Amino acid sequence: VLVEGIFDSLSVRSIGLNCIAQMGISTSRYKTIMYGLFSKLVGIPDNDPEGRKVLVNDEWNIPSNGKYFRWVGDPCKDIDNFINSYEEEDVREVLLNAFNSTERIVNCRV
């Protein structure tokens, strides 16, 4: 899982999933090359205007084997808030379903 910040990353790790932090909204050529090292990658930008822009414009340049997680009908501001708002098993199931999806953008619903 790829998220914006360190606290988001720590929250995802707390439910037993591997996670790295983008450390902000912007990406670089180096980061893009590193993303290609993962067999599967799900990018989860924050649920705010900047995060939605990342999704629409593929601003993180996630490789073709990756996908983005889109917030649908949930007021959570980010994955940290999402994990703290729902049961751990439910969140893990949602994220694992995102990994197994064939869609480039996976809609999140709990």
Side-chain angles (χ1 to χ4, degrees), residues 79-99:
I79 192 66
D80 178 42
N81 185 243
F82 184 71
I83 288 170
N84 291 316
S85 298
Y86 296 99
E87 294 293 324
E88 180 179 322
E89 297 81 24
D90 294 336
V91 174
R92 188 180 303 110
E93 181 180 342
V94 167
L95 294 178
L96 291 174
N97 285 340
F99 271 107

Side-chain angles (χ1 to χ4, degrees), residues 3 6-7 16 18-19 29 31 43-44 46 54 57 82 87 97:
V3 295
I6 191 69
F7 293 110
N18 292 328
C19 187
R29 181 162 163 69
K31 289 178 184 178
I44 307 175
D46 286 356
V54 166
N57 300 324
F82 184 71
E87 294 293 324
N97 285 340

Side-chain angles (χ1 to χ4, degrees), residues 14-83:
S14 76
I15 64 168
L17 297 175
N18 292 328
C19 187
I20 57 174
Q22 166 77 15
M23 299 310 292
I25 202 76
S26 63
T27 196
S28 67
R29 181 162 163 69
Y30 175 76
K31 289 178 184 178
T32 302
I33 291 168
M34 295 298 291
Y35 301 155
L37 298 175
F38 298 96
S39 60
K40 288 185 178 183
L41 186 66
V42 174
I44 307 175
D46 286 356
N47 189 22
D48 60 14
E50 289 298 314
R52 287 187 285 279
K53 190 172 143 190
V54 166
L55 221 115
V56 171
N57 300 324
D58 186 23
E59 290 186 7
W60 286 354
N61 299 315
I62 289 181
S64 61
N65 64 336
K67 53 201 77 173
Y68 285 102
F69 184 93
R70 179 187 315 180
W71 304 87
V72 177
D74 194 288
C76 292
K77 68 178 189 66
D78 58 21
I79 192 66
D80 178 42
N81 185 243
F82 184 71
I83 288 170

